[in-house]
């Protein structure tokens, strides 16, 4: 099993496997609208993190699914990362997870049984950490290894945190540092050292549990998690949902320490280029923003941090909540602004 490199069995890894935002929008535009279902509080309209369905006056059900191919070679770590990433969507809606089901696709003729078991054990360990059962799932024989979860959660209908309710003047706070896709690519190339790998695993297996606490704050207006479309792609979803612009400062972005050097060398997943091409004129870079900074803002994050749009008066309380739960890198990175849904990136 130790001779098997999971990342060599797939053409992509982690949330870098996601279809580019512009192509995904084209794929979805012919689907029927969901307005006929009055209890569906969140559907597909604003590309939010999960669906939310009102059960009664006190409870709404959050439902999401997320799966991908390996971003690391260690089977147990791959399972942990995939499960953490899937459960994050529940926290991004302001809810608490209650149940998960496994999605398993494995090349059973290529990958040893022991490796498949370790992947599933890794996912189960994260579910246990989140306090929920891994209650079943579905498996297929697939040409590339795929693992993820269907995750279900609960939230009070009045505390749902959408990605479309940001307000003019809101402060933008990012909970985790950027650079996951870049470190994953460096690992695949064999140039990531043990410390860089530790940083990669630590951030991608950290559950975004703070989302449930943020839901209780009236000053938290919008919430999402940063994954395959990169920081800029998911911030654009906030902008378009609220019909507002945003300004961020590249110099204030929290970064994984090992990622900057690789970013300067141009190392990173192919998703970076796809994401940048999808943004078009919706992202305006100041001339002082360096090329490596532009790339790291479009880097596909796997199990990335929460991005919160909060009132300025609430910003310190939100930062304190993040840091109390172990998100030491949480930082104010910019502000929502009146105007067209365009992001201005300053040095």
């Amino acid at each position: 099993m130790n001779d098997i490199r999971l990342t060599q069995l797939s053409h992509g890894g982690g949330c870098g496997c996601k279809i580019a935002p512009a192509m995904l929008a084209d794929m979805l535009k012919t689907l029927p609208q969901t307005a006929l279902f009055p209890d569906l509080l969140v559907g597909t309209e604003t590309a939010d993190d999960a669906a939310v369905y009102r059960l009664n006056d006190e409870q709404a059900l959050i439902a999401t699914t997320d799966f991908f191919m390996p971003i690391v070679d260690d089977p147990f770590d791959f399972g942990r990362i995939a499960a953490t990433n899937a459960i994050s969507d529940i926290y991004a809606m302001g809810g608490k997870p209650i149940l998960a089901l496994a999605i398993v696709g494995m090349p059973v003729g290529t990958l040893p049984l022991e490796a498949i078991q370790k992947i599933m054990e890794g996912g189960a360990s994260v579910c246990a950490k989140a306090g929920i059962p891994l209650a079943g799932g579905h498996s297929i024989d697939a040409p590339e290894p795929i693992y993820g979860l269907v995750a279900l959660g609960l939230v009070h209908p009045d505390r749902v945190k959408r990605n479309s309710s940001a307000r003019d003047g809101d402060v933008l706070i990012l909970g985790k540092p950027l650079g996951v896709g870049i470190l994953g690519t460096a690992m695949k190339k064999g140039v990531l050292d043990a410390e860089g790998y530790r940083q990669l695993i630590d951030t991608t297996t950290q559950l975004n549990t703070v989302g449930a606490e943020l839901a209780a704050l009236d000053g938290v207006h919008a919430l999402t998690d940063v994954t395959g479309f990169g920081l800029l792609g998911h911030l654009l979803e906030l902008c378009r949902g609220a019909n507002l612009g945003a300004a961020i400062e590249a110099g204030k972005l929290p970064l994984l320490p090992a990622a900057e050097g690789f970013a300067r060398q141009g190392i990173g997943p192919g998703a970076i280029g796809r994401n940048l091409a999808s943004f078009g004129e919706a992202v305006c870079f100041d001339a002082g923003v360096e090329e490596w900074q532009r790339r790291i803002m479009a880097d596909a994050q796997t199990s990335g941090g929460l991005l919160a749009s909060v009132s300025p008066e609430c910003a310190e309380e939100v930062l304190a909540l993040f840091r109390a739960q172990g998100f030491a890198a949480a930082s104010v990175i910019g502000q929502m602004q009146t105007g067209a849904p365009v992001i201005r990136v300053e040095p």
Side-chain angles (χ1 to χ4, degrees):
M1 185 176 72
N2 292 336
D3 295 331
I4 295 291
R5 293 193 63 191
L6 292 180
T7 57
Q8 300 303 314
L9 297 178
S10 59
H11 73 281
C15 287
C17 302
K18 290 178 75 168
I19 294 171
M23 181 178 291
L24 181 61
D26 286 340
M27 292 169 59
L28 297 176
K29 64 185 179 183
T30 59
L31 291 181
Q33 296 298 304
T34 55
L36 295 177
F37 301 88
D39 285 319
L40 184 65
L41 304 181
V42 180
T44 61
E45 290 76 16
T46 60
D48 219 321
D49 296 292
V52 182
Y53 190 90
R54 180 171 46 217
L55 301 175
N56 52 55
D57 291 342
E58 300 296 322
Q59 293 178 312
L61 178 69
I62 306 171
T64 183
T65 182
D66 216 315
F67 54 90
F68 47 61
M69 292 166 282
I71 188 175
V72 296
D73 291 319
D74 182 273
F76 188 76
D77 285 344
F78 169 43
R80 288 201 295 158
I81 294 168
T84 307
N85 178 76
I87 295 171
S88 181
D89 287 341
I90 302 296
Y91 297 124
M93 303 306 300
K96 293 183 178 181
I98 58 169
L99 175 72
L101 305 173
I103 299 168
V104 182
M106 295 292 157
V108 294
T110 303
L111 197 58
L113 176 61
E114 295 91 338
I116 298 174
Q117 289 174 327
K118 287 294 183 183
I119 292 169
M120 298 176 69
E121 288 171 9
S125 74
V126 168
C127 291
K129 185 179 177 182
I132 62 172
L134 182 56
H138 187 68
S139 61
I140 62 169
D141 185 356
E144 297 178 303
I146 297 170
Y147 184 74
L149 300 177
V150 173
L152 302 177
L154 291 174
V155 65
H156 192 286
D158 295 337
R159 289 187 173 182
V160 176
K161 296 300 180 183
R162 297 167 174 82
N163 71 350
S164 57
S165 49
R167 300 180 187 178
D168 180 26
D170 274 358
V171 170
L172 293 167
I173 296 176
L174 180 62
K176 286 186 184 182
L178 302 174
V180 169
I182 289 168
L183 292 189
T185 303
M187 191 217 69
K188 194 170 184 177
K189 290 178 176 291
V191 294
L192 186 67
D193 63 15
E195 172 57 23
Y197 186 77
R198 183 195 65 77
Q199 293 174 23
L200 173 63
I201 298 302
D202 285 352
T203 190
T204 53
T205 58
Q206 184 178 20
L207 287 163
N208 281 319
T209 51
V210 68
E213 292 192 36
L214 295 176
L217 300 179
D218 292 337
V220 177
H221 298 144
L223 201 60
T224 190
D225 63 347
V226 177
T227 55
F229 300 155
L231 170 65
L232 295 175
H234 292 285
L235 177 53
L236 268 178
E237 290 176 343
L238 260 69
C239 291
R240 288 166 176 163
N243 197 27
L244 293 170
I248 60 174
E249 296 183 48
K252 290 187 175 181
L253 297 175
L255 307 177
L256 290 166
E260 181 176 336
F262 293 121
R264 289 182 179 274
Q265 297 172 46
I267 292 175
I272 291 178
R274 295 194 298 272
N275 285 341
L276 286 170
S278 293
F279 302 152
E281 295 181 356
V283 177
C284 300
F285 294 102
D286 185 276
V289 179
E290 297 185 46
E291 178 62 23
W292 72 267
Q293 293 175 310
R294 302 180 188 206
R295 287 175 55 79
I296 210 166
M297 283 183 272
D299 182 33
Q301 302 303 287
T302 298
S303 191
L306 295 180
L307 177 64
S309 180
V310 310
S311 66
E313 298 79 14
C314 191
E316 287 303 319
E317 185 176 5
V318 169
L319 285 171
L321 278 176
F322 270 111
R323 290 165 184 164
Q325 292 211 20
F327 297 90
S331 304
V332 173
I333 63 167
Q335 193 171 36
M336 301 298 294
Q337 300 177 337
T338 299
V342 171
I343 300 172
R344 293 188 299 105
V345 184
E346 301 165 355

